[in-house]
Amino acid sequence: MEYSKHCPAGGFFFALFSLFRFALSIGLLERPLVVGFLLALITGEVFTALLIAVFFELLWLDLIPAGTFIPPNSIFCVTSTVILCAHFQLEHTGMILLLMLLSIPGAYILSRIEGWYRIRQNKKYNLILRQSRDRFSIYSPGKMILQSLAGSFGVNLVSACLGIYLLAVVYPHLSGVFQFQRELDWSVILIAASFSALAGLRVKKANISLITGMILVSAALAWMQWPIEV
């Protein structure tokens, strides 16, 4: 398979969208729904891209960045899944679900990388203090901010390219092993993702509904995976 075009393209889109997470905070532009809408316009996969975006929006609806907490990077999941769906020309819902699930570990890894980069950038704060007090003539916070933005873009670009390339290599091998014998319906997948919203309520009845729903959805998925008798 030729990945030379799709991995850099996906990495570029991811790095660009990631700037809206912390570097350029403009409303809710970093949300999966917005990213999915933009990717739908770019790739032309409108229906698939928006459904993928809704899935990840619901999946991590309760995880909101606050303080030092960095939620999983759902932007990577949306970007990599939409890009690779277009690359592999996936139409079977079960195959798209497998690709979405495979992208989830990458979201946690990239959030760790993002946290590492933010800690590294904290060291620049002491440098700014020293320059503002002792060497005011070379004090240039604008230059440091620009360097920080460029560094964030570069780190995200390289990380996303490697992640998308790894997914593109691993997915064909796993898709032959994990196959749904029956076609999945998007409503089942979105209902499964919406359980995280129930978990965010922190209510006992909601947790009971969550566990019950997970059991029912798991049973439905197991039935869909069961071989069809000929």
Side-chain angles (χ1 to χ4, degrees):
M1 293 278 182
E2 178 61 44
Y3 309 126
S4 58
K5 294 182 180 179
H6 294 84
C7 291
F12 176 80
F13 291 136
F14 167 78
L16 184 62
F17 295 143
S18 291
L19 289 178
F20 295 109
R21 277 171 65 86
F22 296 102
L24 302 173
S25 182
I26 306 176
L28 298 175
L29 294 182
E30 83 285 356
R31 301 302 303 174
L33 285 176
V34 178
V35 175
F37 175 75
L38 295 176
L39 287 173
L41 297 179
I42 294 171
T43 62
E45 302 289 337
V46 178
F47 184 73
T48 303
L50 291 179
L51 285 173
I52 291 171
V54 171
F55 174 84
F56 287 112
E57 184 74 42
L58 292 173
L59 183 64
W60 287 310
L61 186 64
D62 183 45
L63 300 182
I64 301 172
T68 58
F69 172 68
I70 302 177
N73 201 318
S74 56
I75 298 177
F76 171 77
C77 295
V78 176
T79 305
S80 60
T81 304
V82 173
I83 291 294
L84 292 180
C85 276
H87 173 70
F88 291 115
Q89 298 181 348
L90 300 180
E91 296 181 357
H92 193 285
T93 313
M95 295 294 97
I96 298 176
L97 174 61
L98 175 61
L99 187 57
M100 289 192 297
L101 296 178
L102 289 176
S103 70
I104 290 177
Y108 286 94
I109 294 174
L110 283 165
S111 66
R112 291 294 185 92
I113 294 175
E114 193 169 340
W116 164 81
Y117 185 76
R118 291 175 66 183
I119 293 174
R120 186 173 181 273
Q121 289 300 302
N122 287 339
K123 298 179 180 178
K124 295 289 183 68
Y125 177 73
N126 295 328
L127 179 60
I128 291 176
L129 288 180
R130 289 197 301 269
Q131 288 184 354
S132 62
R133 294 172 181 174
D134 304 330
R135 296 178 293 176
F136 191 77
S137 59
I138 61 172
Y139 178 58
S140 180
K143 182 179 180 181
M144 289 185 179
I145 293 174
L146 183 60
Q147 290 176 347
S148 178
L149 291 176
S152 176
F153 183 84
V155 169
N156 287 323
L157 177 63
V158 173
S159 302
C161 286
L162 291 176
I164 295 174
Y165 180 80
L166 182 61
L167 278 176
V169 173
V170 171
Y171 174 76
H173 299 285
L174 294 181
S175 61
V177 179
F178 300 97
Q179 291 186 358
F180 288 90
Q181 302 296 327
R182 296 175 175 85
E183 177 68 18
L184 286 174
D185 190 81
W186 272 107
S187 60
V188 176
I189 298 175
L190 296 182
I191 289 174
S194 65
F195 289 156
S196 63
L198 289 175
L201 295 176
R202 303 324 194 262
V203 179
K204 184 177 180 180
K205 292 183 178 180
N207 291 332
I208 294 175
S209 301
L210 172 64
I211 295 173
T212 304
M214 290 178 65
I215 293 174
L216 293 176
V217 171
S218 299
L221 293 176
W223 179 80
M224 292 177 182
Q225 179 69 8
W226 198 266
I228 301 175
E229 296 183 2
V230 180

